Amino acid sequence: MAPDRLSATFAALADPTRRAILARLALGETSVSELAEPFDISLPAVSRHLKVLEGAGLIVRGREAQWRPCRLEPQALKGVDDWLEEYRRLWEQRLDRLEDYLRTLQASEEKTEKKSDGKNVRKK
């Protein structure tokens, strides 16, 4: 995914109203007026949000007579997933190394406790 497309996708996803619209479209194709119902914003404002989503390639809008259906374009999120995969692998590696280090510390601490327990025991 080109950086400019990725930036457009993240910019589109940055707005909570647009994320809510995408969540609704994940349930299936619907009209602009149905998408606007749960929001306390005007139909033109919803239309502007849809333009941003469409520009980012996240949705596709159609025309069927008077009906203006919108549908999610899930393949557009594949680019984001691919980009995030690099960082996912990086953080998994770092967390694995941290886990190994913590195990080493715990093992060292247990050895130290065993040694000190043996020295502190008094015989009567």
Side-chain angles (χ1 to χ4, degrees):
M1 175 177 269
D4 55 322
R5 176 59 109 189
L6 187 62
S7 295
T9 301
F10 278 123
L13 294 172
D15 185 274
T17 301
R18 290 193 284 266
R19 290 192 307 270
I21 289 170
L22 288 177
R24 169 53 190 92
L25 289 173
L27 302 174
E29 185 175 270
T30 191
S31 70
V32 174
S33 58
E34 289 172 346
L35 283 172
E37 284 177 11
F39 303 105
D40 192 22
I41 57 177
S42 67
L43 201 54
V46 170
S47 197
R48 286 191 295 273
H49 283 296
L50 293 174
K51 262 188 180 174
V52 172
L53 292 168
E54 189 175 29
L58 295 168
I59 67 165
V60 175
R61 293 195 284 180
R63 283 188 183 194
E64 296 175 21
Q66 295 299 315
W67 195 51
R68 305 282 189 261
C70 296
R71 67 179 165 83
L72 185 63
E73 189 60 51
Q75 190 60 30
L77 292 173
K78 174 82 171 97
V80 173
D81 187 51
D82 292 344
W83 184 81
L84 288 171
E85 182 59 31
E86 278 184 57
Y87 295 96
R88 188 177 298 121
R89 273 186 266 130
L90 171 77
W91 281 107
E92 284 175 359
Q93 290 169 356
R94 287 182 177 181
L95 290 171
D96 288 345
R97 286 196 312 263
L98 178 61
E99 187 177 23
D100 292 343
Y101 178 70
L102 289 173
R103 282 190 189 126
T104 303
L105 283 178
Q106 287 174 332
S108 175
E109 191 175 285
E110 287 173 5
K111 285 180 185 177
T112 303
E113 286 176 2
K114 285 181 182 178
K115 285 181 183 177
S116 67
D117 284 349
K119 291 179 183 176
N120 292 334
V121 175
R122 292 184 184 171
K123 294 182 179 179
K124 290 188 179 183

